[in-house]
């Protein structure tokens, strides 16, 4: 699979020498065909999730993440979970920026858990997050010129977790978040949904689509209303004009008509 709308050009000649090419989704099939791969060789083999294993039923949630407390004024912390390998494609900077800018620990009892691992990274993930966090740790104050900004809690979970523990990790969260720039399929999204977690990703695209649909519907309704109003107005004007110009002589008034011309006076209605 490849995580964008087209496959690398260097792959195409080698792929066309294969007997069959298995891809996990229709999106991937279209991406490979549009890149020049022979469509007859491509077979869609969907990935799957064990919904019995990734089930919220009878799962004990994890209670702590690296010592972070999950209680605040007697209420449980709202936990956001993100699970991905540490690379730019997963858009982790956007995730952290949105989290830091949205929540204030003075009023919001939240925690962001980053379950991740180094991927072609020459330094610990925690160092990258700490450096990024420092850039958002201060905001300007009119009096002092600089003021430390307290950021909401987060925890980098970079240690290995056995597959059997993943349901407990998902169960400890209230929402799964991952603003990835591209996915070949998106296994963590599917696992989180199987665990009955709300999943937040590609939100911008969804919002834009909804807005466009609403705008189109409003425009269509307005156009229909305008057309109906115009038709009604035209019909009314026509009726008024015809009524004002209509002349006739009722047969019962013929004895009163002039004897020389046999015509009656015009009656205007």
């Amino acid at each position: 699979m490849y995580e964008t709308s087209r496959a690398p050009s260097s792959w195409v000649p080698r792929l066309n020498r294969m007997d069959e090419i298995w891809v996990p989704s229709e999106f991937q099939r279209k991406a490979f065909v549009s890149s020049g791969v022979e469509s007859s060789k491509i077979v869609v083999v969907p990935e799957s999730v064990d919904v019995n294993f990734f089930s919220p039923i009878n799962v004990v949630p994890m209670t702590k993440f690296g010592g972070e407390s999950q209680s605040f004024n007697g209420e449980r912390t709202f936990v956001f979970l993100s699970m991905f390998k540490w690379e730019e494609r997963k858009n982790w900077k956007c995730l952290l920026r949105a989290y830091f800018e949205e929540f204030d620990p003075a009023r919001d009892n939240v925690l962001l858990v980053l379950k991740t691992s180094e991927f072609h990274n020459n330094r610990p993930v925690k160092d990258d997050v700490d450096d990024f966090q420092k850039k958002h740790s201060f905001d300007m104050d009119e009096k002092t010129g600089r003021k430390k900004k307290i950021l909401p809690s987060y925890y980098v979970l970079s240690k290995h977790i056995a597959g059997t523990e993943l349901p407990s990790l998902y169960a400890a969260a209230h929402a799964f978040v991952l603003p990835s720039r591209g996915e070949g399929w998106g296994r963590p999204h599917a696992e989180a949904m199987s665990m009955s977690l709300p999943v937040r990703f590609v939100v911008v695209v969804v919002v834009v689509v909804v807005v466009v649909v609403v705008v189109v519907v409003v425009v269509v309704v307005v156009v229909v209303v305008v057309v109906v109003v115009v038709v009604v107005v035209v019909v009314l004007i026509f009726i008024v004009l015809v009524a004002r110009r209509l002349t006739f002589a009722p047969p019962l008034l013929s004895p009163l008509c002039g004897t020389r011309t046999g015509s009656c006076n015009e009656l205007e209605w």
Side-chain angles (χ1 to χ4, degrees), residues 175-209:
F176 183 85
V177 289
L178 181 55
S180 176
R181 290 189 171 93
E183 290 291 338
W185 183 63
R187 176 174 292 278
H189 306 89
E191 292 175 349
M193 287 188 285
S194 181
M195 289 293 299
S196 298
L197 287 181
V199 176
R200 299 291 182 260
F201 68 108
V202 295
V203 175
V204 174
V205 175
V206 174
V207 171
V208 169
V209 170

Side-chain angles (χ1 to χ4, degrees), residues 29-42:
R29 188 193 69 79
K30 292 179 179 178
F32 277 60
V33 170
S34 65
S35 301
V37 179
E38 296 176 23
S39 60
S40 60
K41 295 178 179 288
I42 301 177

Side-chain angles (χ1 to χ4, degrees), residues 88-105:
E88 286 294 331
R89 178 174 62 85
K90 297 296 183 178
N91 209 11
W92 60 268
K93 292 179 181 178
C94 176
L95 173 62
L96 290 179
R97 184 181 297 107
Y99 179 70
F100 290 153
E101 291 178 354
E102 178 65 24
F103 298 105
D104 181 353

Side-chain angles (χ1 to χ4, degrees), residues 12-220:
V12 175
R14 287 178 288 176
L15 288 172
N16 282 330
R17 290 198 294 268
M18 304 294 171
D19 295 318
E20 277 192 358
I21 302 160
W22 294 357
V23 295
S25 65
E26 181 64 18
F27 169 78
Q28 289 291 307
R29 188 193 69 79
K30 292 179 179 178
F32 277 60
V33 170
S34 65
S35 301
V37 179
E38 296 176 23
S39 60
S40 60
K41 295 178 179 288
I42 301 177
V43 179
V44 177
V45 182
E47 294 200 40
S48 61
V49 167
D50 187 342
V51 295
N52 294 317
F53 178 73
F54 288 101
S55 170
I57 301 175
N58 298 325
V59 175
V60 179
M62 288 186 180
T63 56
K64 285 188 176 182
F65 302 103
E68 288 283 357
S69 173
Q70 288 199 63
S71 61
F72 180 78
N73 292 336
E75 297 181 1
R76 187 186 175 197
T77 301
F78 191 99
V79 178
F80 294 97
L81 172 65
S82 193
M83 188 180 304
F84 58 94
K85 59 185 177 183
W86 196 254
E87 59 178 346
E88 286 294 331
R89 178 174 62 85
K90 297 296 183 178
N91 209 11
W92 60 268
K93 292 179 181 178
C94 176
L95 173 62
L96 290 179
R97 184 181 297 107
Y99 179 70
F100 290 153
E101 291 178 354
E102 178 65 24
F103 298 105
D104 181 353
R107 69 168 190 273
D108 302 314
N109 180 24
V110 294
L111 172 66
L112 173 62
V113 177
L114 301 173
K115 174 62 187 83
T116 186
S117 59
E118 290 84 359
F119 184 73
H120 300 315
N121 209 38
N122 56 5
R123 61 187 307 205
V125 170
K126 186 76 165 55
D127 291 349
D128 283 346
V129 177
D130 287 344
D131 287 348
F132 186 82
Q133 181 254 56
K134 289 175 183 177
K135 295 178 181 178
H136 293 75
S137 293
F138 298 94
D139 56 3
M140 299 302 296
D141 182 87
E142 294 181 357
K143 295 181 179 180
T144 63
R146 199 175 191 187
K147 180 182 67 175
K148 184 172 179 63
K149 179 181 180 182
I150 302 175
L151 297 177
S153 298
Y154 67 91
Y155 180 68
V156 178
L157 188 60
S158 57
K159 70 175 183 178
H160 174 72
I161 291 183
T164 53
E165 296 182 87
L166 288 178
S168 294
L169 177 59
Y170 283 116
H174 297 86
F176 183 85
V177 289
L178 181 55
S180 176
R181 290 189 171 93
E183 290 291 338
W185 183 63
R187 176 174 292 278
H189 306 89
E191 292 175 349
M193 287 188 285
S194 181
M195 289 293 299
S196 298
L197 287 181
V199 176
R200 299 291 182 260
F201 68 108
V202 295
V203 175
V204 174
V205 175
V206 174
V207 171
V208 169
V209 170
V210 171
V211 171
V212 170
V213 170
V214 171
V215 170
V216 170
V217 171
V218 171
V219 170
V220 170

